[in-house]
């Protein structure tokens, strides 16, 4: 093996990959749920080295997620290329907490370049949460989607619907048809279509996005069916293999290189095994994905008209790279001194774009200013700027300048997974107006104060550090940037994971975040001098 693909290729929260090739360029779109901007798009020229080139949903005219809960918003996107442009399908999901029927309005946006700008959305129905488009070689286009069926005693995953899409009219035309009910694996979702040698190959995610996840393939000679299932289905899965390095493997799609080699992109999770003696009773019994679901690639080939993963059904960490000229990219930004006037694309905000009303890189040049709004558990105005944890061993560090005089103003550094899964080292004030530091958080809907208040006198600048050491987070602080003091106990990382919470659905991943709140509504600003991230 001359050079290799090292999985996951997209580390940290990067689920539901949709891969395409356009001449010499490869792109993968991944889901972002309640995080803004929506849909990450990564680019590669060799399948080994990937870089983030942009996001598809950058404006509120494309997506409104205000009030959305954890893991609602943008589910699995699907990227295609036809008629000299990129097409991207997505749905903006309100899940069905407390009810059976989900709202899954689905849309398509287009762009000349994957970096954008992407168009405003066009509706492609509301059937389910994983829409895609297929561009047939006769010029026709089709919408595929899963069907969400909320009726009692029915399979919620009601099959895969196909309907023609007229791009000139900008709408679905003709009758929809349920073309595939799924296999015994169940939870049939994420449909994407590929045409090869006269066959339509329908590739779906099955088994649910947890431990039983799988990539299912079926095919038909007529796009409307009937579809026959792969003789050795599923083609990839980590189910029944508890000690596998990449678990939860599923949600795949195939891509052919310029040389005729094939690769399968898929999602996976690198799980922390259940900690010994840990009191929390997990929903699943084989660990916690604190980094969320990640994207990996496997080598594939075709035999007798069916695709196979060349190394077997179990995903591998190290995979033979294709015969493509290596094309490394400059490393992604690790240390930000906030000298730029635009927020770097590694950052995400919650539910809404970064906007001058609550975030500024220019009001105090060289600083990120966050104007405090709601507290972390709100589904609305969060003055929070976050970047993914992409390794189980990482450190995030910042310095915040802040002059709170009441307990109702706070700013600092967080480990954030969800409204009900986060830790927060906050700088605030006590009732006497004395500045204090404290570690607080919310685990499973219970607010906790995990350290005493530490008085810091009249210091207005505090350096804060958050270390992730596999199963533990640790906070420390420094008033001079040199001498560091631990604050609070070590905090379990596993409740901040896909499996660790009380929610029905947890689909995202852990972030290190800068945050400010002012529950009085006075938008007291906090100025962050830098945000450094490193991995061990
Ligand atoms: C997504 C579905 C899935 O829409 O999980 O893994 C759902 N597959 O296709 C949430 O990411």
């Amino acid at each position: 093996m001359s050079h290799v693909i090292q999985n996951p290729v997209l580390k940290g929260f990067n689920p539901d990959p949709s891969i395409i090739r356009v001449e010499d360029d490869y792109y993968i779109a991944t889901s972002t749920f309640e995080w803004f901007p929506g849909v990450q798009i990564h680019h590669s020229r060799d399948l080994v080295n990937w870089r983030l080139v942009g996001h598809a949903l950058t404006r509120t005219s494309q997506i409104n997620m205000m009030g959305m809960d954890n893991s609602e918003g943008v589910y699995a996107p699907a990227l295609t290329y036809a008629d000299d442009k990129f097409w991207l399908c997505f749905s903006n999901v309100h899940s069905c907490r407390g009810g059976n029927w989900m709202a899954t309005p689905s849309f398509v946006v287009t762009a000349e370049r994957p970096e954008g700008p992407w168009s405003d959305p066009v509706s492609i129905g509301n059937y389910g949460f994983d829409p895609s488009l297929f561009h047939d070689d006769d010029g026709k286009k089709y919408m595929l989607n899963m069907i969400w069926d909320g009726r009692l005693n029915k399979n919620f995953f009601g099959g895969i619907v196909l309907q023609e899409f007229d791009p000139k009219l900008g709408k679905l035309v003709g009758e929809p048809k349920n073309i595939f009910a799924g296999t015994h694996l169940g939870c049939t979702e994420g449909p994407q279509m590929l045409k090869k040698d006269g066959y339509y190959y329908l590739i779906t995610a099955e088994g649910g996005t947890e431990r039983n996840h799988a990539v299912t393939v079926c095919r038909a000679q007529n796009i409307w069916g009937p579809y026959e299932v792969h003789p050795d289905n599923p083609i990839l899965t980590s189910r029944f293999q508890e000690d596998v390095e990449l678990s939860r493997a599923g949600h795949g799609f195939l891509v052919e290189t310029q040389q005729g080699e094939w690769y399968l992109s898929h999602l996976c999770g690198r799980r922390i095994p259940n900690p010994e003696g840990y009191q929390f009773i997990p929903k699943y019994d084989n660990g916690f994905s604190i980094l969320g679901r990640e994207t990996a690639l496997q080598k594939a080939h075709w035999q007798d008209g069916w695709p196979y993963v060349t190394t077997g059904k179990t995903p591998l960490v190290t995979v033979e790279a294709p015969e493509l000229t290596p094309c490394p990219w400059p490393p992604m930004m690790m240390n930000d001194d906030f000298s730029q006037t635009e927020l770097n694309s590694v950052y995400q905000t919650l539910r809404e774009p970064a906007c001058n009303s609550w975030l500024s890189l220019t009001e105090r040049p060289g600083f990120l200013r966050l104007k405090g709004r709601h507290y972390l558990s709100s589904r609305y105005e969060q003055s929070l700027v976050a970047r993914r944890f992409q390794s189980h061993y990482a450190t995030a560090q910042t310095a915040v300048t802040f002059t709170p005089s009441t307990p109702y103003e706070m700013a600092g550094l967080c480990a954030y997974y969800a409204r009900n899964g986060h830790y927060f080292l906050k700088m605030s004030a006590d009732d006497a107006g004395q500045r204090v530091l404290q570690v607080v958080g919310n685990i499973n809907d219970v607010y906790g104060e995990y350290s005493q208040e530490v008085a810091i006198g009249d210091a207005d600048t505090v350096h804060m550090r958050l270390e992730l050491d596999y199963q533990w987070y640790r906070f420390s602080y420094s008033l001079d940037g040199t001498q560091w003091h631990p604050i609070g106990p070590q905090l379990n990382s596993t409740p901040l994971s896909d499996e660790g919470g009380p929610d029905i659905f947890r689909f995202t991943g852990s972030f290190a975040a800068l945050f400010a709140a002012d529950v009085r509504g006075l938008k007291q600003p906090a100025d962050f001098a830098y945000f450094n991230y490193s991995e061990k």
Side-chain angles (χ1 to χ4, degrees):
M1 268 188 248
S2 50
H3 63 302
V4 293
I5 294 172
Q6 201 62 40
N7 283 318
V9 287
L10 308 182
K11 295 181 173 43
F13 165 39
N14 276 295
D16 306 321
S18 171
I19 191 166
I20 56 165
R21 176 173 71 84
V22 179
E23 299 192 351
D24 295 340
D25 296 292
Y26 297 82
Y27 300 96
I28 293 178
T30 48
S31 350
T32 40
F33 299 89
E34 76 270 36
W35 292 93
F36 210 96
V39 182
Q40 299 222 93
I41 299 177
H42 283 85
H43 171 223
S44 175
R45 293 175 74 94
D46 57 8
L47 295 181
V48 173
N49 300 286
W50 291 85
R51 61 168 180 168
L52 179 65
V53 287
H55 297 83
L57 308 174
T58 54
R59 310 183 296 277
T60 43
S61 63
Q62 294 170 305
I63 187 154
N64 179 356
M65 296 190 288
M66 271 325 238
M68 289 214 163
D69 213 335
N70 306 322
S71 293
E72 296 190 331
V74 181
Y75 276 35
L79 190 60
T80 49
Y81 183 82
D83 313 333
D84 301 322
K85 58 185 172 186
F86 293 84
W87 305 71
L88 188 119
C89 296
F90 68 97
S91 48
N92 185 12
V93 177
H94 278 268
S95 68
C96 57
R97 289 185 185 89
N100 269 25
W101 294 93
M102 289 179 130
T104 56
S106 299
F107 304 96
V108 60
V109 289
T110 55
E112 273 164 35
R113 291 159 11 104
E115 293 87 339
W118 288 82
S119 71
D120 277 344
V122 166
S123 168
I124 46 168
N126 288 36
Y127 291 101
F129 42 71
D130 292 340
S132 68
L133 274 189
F134 173 67
H135 312 268
D136 209 345
D137 43 24
D138 61 2
K140 285 191 174 174
K141 297 191 191 305
Y142 298 87
M143 179 275 310
L144 291 139
N145 206 344
M146 62 83 69
I147 302 175
W148 184 261
D149 189 340
R151 289 175 294 173
L152 290 178
N153 308 317
K154 289 279 174 188
N155 186 349
F156 284 160
F157 293 79
I160 302 301
V161 68
L162 179 78
Q163 191 171 1
E164 200 179 330
F165 174 73
D166 185 328
K168 287 200 191 79
L169 297 176
K171 62 176 193 179
L172 298 175
V173 294
E175 291 303 310
K177 184 183 174 193
N178 191 332
I179 56 166
F180 182 55
T183 72
H184 71 283
L185 295 170
C187 299
T188 312
E189 53 189 354
Q192 293 188 73
M193 187 85 87
L194 165 82
K195 195 173 186 183
K196 188 175 184 298
D197 304 329
Y199 277 101
Y200 295 90
Y201 291 88
L202 174 62
I203 301 174
T204 57
E206 287 201 292
T209 195
E210 281 304 331
R211 55 193 309 216
N212 290 330
H213 211 202
V215 179
T216 282
V217 178
C218 59
R219 73 174 188 191
Q221 275 170 314
N222 184 318
I223 193 164
W224 298 102
Y227 280 84
E228 56 171 323
V229 178
H230 193 296
D232 196 16
N233 201 62
I235 63 166
L236 181 81
T237 187
S238 357
R239 69 205 297 255
F240 308 133
Q241 301 162 74
E242 302 301 328
D243 52 357
V244 71
E245 257 181 283
L246 303 178
S247 61
R248 316 174 65 176
H251 202 114
F253 199 61
L254 289 155
V255 71
E256 184 180 17
T257 70
Q258 304 89 304
Q259 270 77 37
E261 294 180 90
W262 286 83
Y263 282 84
L264 177 79
S265 66
H266 65 95
L267 73 72
C268 63
R270 290 180 288 164
R271 296 185 143 189
I272 296 185
N274 290 342
E276 243 175 78
Y278 179 40
Q279 291 306 304
F280 182 73
I281 299 162
K283 240 184 323 183
Y284 306 97
D285 55 5
N286 62 344
F288 297 85
S289 315
I290 65 166
L291 303 179
R293 295 167 300 157
E294 312 181 272
T295 288
L297 295 170
Q298 305 297 329
K299 194 166 169 50
H301 66 273
W302 292 78
Q303 197 183 314
D304 305 327
W306 291 103
Y308 291 83
V309 174
T310 305
T311 46
K313 291 179 187 221
T314 306
L316 298 184
V317 170
T318 306
V319 170
E320 187 185 332
E323 296 289 323
L324 295 171
T325 311
C327 182
W329 307 112
M332 72 173 171
M333 196 267 300
M334 301 295 266
N335 296 335
D336 195 349
D337 61 4
F338 297 123
S339 57
Q340 308 292 314
T341 54
E342 292 280 313
L343 206 56
N344 190 285
S345 63
V346 300
Y347 297 118
Q348 301 239 240
T349 56
L350 277 168
R351 303 179 184 84
E352 60 176 329
C355 162
N356 276 337
S357 65
W358 63 270
L359 177 153
S360 176
L361 284 156
T362 53
E363 278 179 27
R364 184 171 174 194
F367 289 81
L368 170 73
R369 171 163 290 180
L370 294 181
K371 300 168 195 175
R373 296 185 297 165
H374 292 187
Y375 188 68
L376 286 161
S377 42
S378 167
R379 288 182 282 115
Y380 295 86
E381 303 178 354
Q382 296 287 304
S383 299
L384 179 139
V385 168
R387 66 177 297 159
R388 287 159 177 72
F389 276 110
Q390 297 183 289
S391 159
H392 288 99
Y393 302 92
T395 302
Q397 191 175 310
T398 190
V400 60
T401 300
F402 191 45
T403 53
S405 53
T406 72
Y408 314 111
E409 304 144 74
M410 44 196 122
L413 181 61
C414 311
Y416 186 94
Y417 182 97
R419 302 197 297 123
N420 55 359
H422 57 256
Y423 301 115
F424 175 29
L425 170 54
K426 74 175 161 117
M427 178 176 179
S428 187
D430 62 16
D431 286 320
Q434 302 301 309
R435 288 179 198 146
V436 290
L437 299 178
Q438 188 177 28
V439 178
V440 298
N442 187 311
I443 297 300
N444 300 339
D445 296 312
V446 179
Y447 179 73
E449 294 179 342
Y450 306 119
S451 77
Q452 300 297 316
E453 286 185 336
V454 176
I456 53 168
D458 59 3
D460 66 358
T461 297
V462 180
H463 298 259
M464 297 181 171
R465 187 182 281 166
L466 169 63
E467 280 168 276
L468 170 58
D469 183 8
Y470 201 53
Q471 205 211 314
W472 303 107
Y473 283 114
R474 292 186 196 93
F475 283 107
S476 52
Y477 73 95
S478 168
L479 298 181
D480 57 8
T482 313
Q483 244 200 315
W484 287 87
H485 314 279
I487 180 167
Q490 58 178 6
L491 298 160
N492 204 325
S493 68
T494 56
L496 279 60
S497 69
D498 295 2
E499 300 83 1
D503 319 58
I504 314 173
F505 303 124
R506 272 199 168 191
F507 294 143
T508 56
S510 298
F511 286 78
L514 307 180
F515 176 68
D518 185 346
V519 295
R520 304 166 309 173
L522 299 178
K523 287 195 174 170
Q524 174 74 7
D527 292 332
F528 296 87
Y530 63 89
F531 194 12
N532 294 349
Y533 173 79
S534 59
E535 294 175 352
K536 277 172 221 153

